[in-house]
Amino acid sequence: MATSTVSKPPRVRTGKQGSSIFLKTLMAVTGIIFMLFVIAHMYGNLYKLFDGHTAFNTYSEHLRTIGEPMLPRHGFLTVMEVILGISVVLHAYAAYVLWGRARAARPQRYAVKKSIARSFSSRWMRWGGTFLLLFVIWHLLQFTIVKFNVGSGGNTTAITHDPYELTVHAFNVWWVTLIYVLAMIALGMHLRHGIWSAAQTLGFTSTVRARTIANVVAVVVALIVAVGFVIPPLAIAFGGIK
């Protein structure tokens, strides 16, 4: 007599395991939103700053008038700022919760040490991400929210209300340029690891070919963004843009 076998239903992830998967997915999605923004921001800065004063200020003004007259002045930017702000908060929240859970689950060191590269990558995503968050706050205060000049010329309206002049004066200060360059290196490393992790989380690395593509995309995007961002401030610092 044949015996029938009853297949077990798939396991449903509950509790902290399911929550951790949700948080990783949240990090991936919010990270992609921020990545798309930094690519667009990098392109605008790189392309328009080298076009000169008028072109850069026209570009800055255009960003504030997108959607008019259906949207009020600064309407489109406000929507984007809200989306980006929420994305950054959720991304940071998910990262720190997952970090805390990982620490709580491993109160003692591994019996078998992780590889040096993996260990460095993991630590860098935590502390590098914290550095980037602090840099974003500083950057927004300097160029968007408060608009202050730490270079020559003081905080006159002619500088603080002129996007091109404020940018040029800022990066004529060596330590501002240094902080910016270090932040862009951190951003490149964060993107490199983050894109790869997002691809894994979202299920885009199931084959060898897919993993190769994901790795190449991560490296290329990270290099393009980091290099594209540091070219204008270095050009200003060394006199290429005045």
Side-chain angles (χ1 to χ4, degrees):
M1 180 177 178
T3 58
S4 59
T5 59
V6 179
S7 59
K8 295 181 179 180
R11 294 176 62 185
V12 178
R13 296 182 175 91
T14 58
K16 283 191 176 181
Q17 186 181 13
S19 175
S20 294
I21 292 173
F22 170 76
L23 289 172
K24 289 179 180 179
T25 304
L26 182 64
M27 281 187 68
V29 173
T30 53
I32 290 171
I33 292 172
F34 194 69
M35 178 194 70
L36 293 175
F37 164 75
V38 296
I39 290 174
H41 187 40
M42 178 274 297
Y43 170 77
N45 285 357
L46 181 62
Y47 176 53
K48 293 300 181 180
L49 266 172
F50 281 97
D51 267 0
H53 187 282
T54 302
F56 186 74
N57 282 0
T58 300
Y59 160 71
S60 298
E61 177 64 17
H62 174 68
L63 293 177
R64 290 162 174 77
T65 59
I66 293 176
E68 287 186 352
M70 294 187 65
L71 292 176
R73 177 179 169 80
H74 209 285
F76 176 79
L77 269 186
T78 299
V79 172
M80 293 304 300
E81 287 165 356
V82 170
I83 293 173
L84 288 169
I86 293 173
S87 296
V88 170
V89 170
L90 292 177
H91 191 82
Y93 168 76
Y96 288 122
V97 170
L98 289 170
W99 181 15
R101 289 181 182 178
R103 287 174 60 86
R106 298 191 294 270
Q108 298 178 348
R109 293 182 178 180
Y110 286 121
V112 179
K113 291 183 178 179
K114 295 186 291 183
S115 69
I116 295 177
R118 183 180 176 186
S119 178
F120 173 78
S121 178
S122 178
R123 287 196 300 269
W124 174 257
M125 289 299 286
R126 297 164 187 167
W127 299 114
T130 301
F131 171 60
L132 283 173
L133 181 59
L134 294 174
F135 169 76
V136 167
I137 294 171
W138 157 266
H139 190 66
L140 288 174
L141 289 173
Q142 185 177 18
F143 291 105
T144 304
I145 300 173
V146 179
K147 297 181 181 178
F148 59 88
N149 172 38
V150 296
S152 62
N155 286 285
T156 62
T157 302
I159 294 176
T160 58
H161 286 68
D162 187 309
Y164 183 87
E165 290 295 334
L166 182 58
T167 302
V168 171
H169 277 78
F171 293 121
N172 271 317
V173 179
W174 71 269
W175 58 266
V176 174
T177 301
L178 178 61
I179 291 174
Y180 191 89
V181 170
L182 290 176
M184 293 308 101
I185 293 173
L187 176 61
M189 295 177 68
H190 201 82
L191 284 173
R192 162 66 186 88
H193 184 88
I195 293 171
W196 169 253
S197 296
Q200 285 184 308
T201 298
L202 298 176
F204 297 147
T205 57
S206 57
T207 65
V208 174
R209 184 172 182 271
R211 288 191 290 274
T212 301
I213 292 174
N215 186 57
V216 171
V217 169
V219 172
V220 170
V221 171
L223 284 174
I224 289 175
V225 169
V227 173
F229 267 126
V230 300
I231 288 175
L234 290 178
I236 292 170
F238 289 99
I241 297 176
K242 300 179 181 180

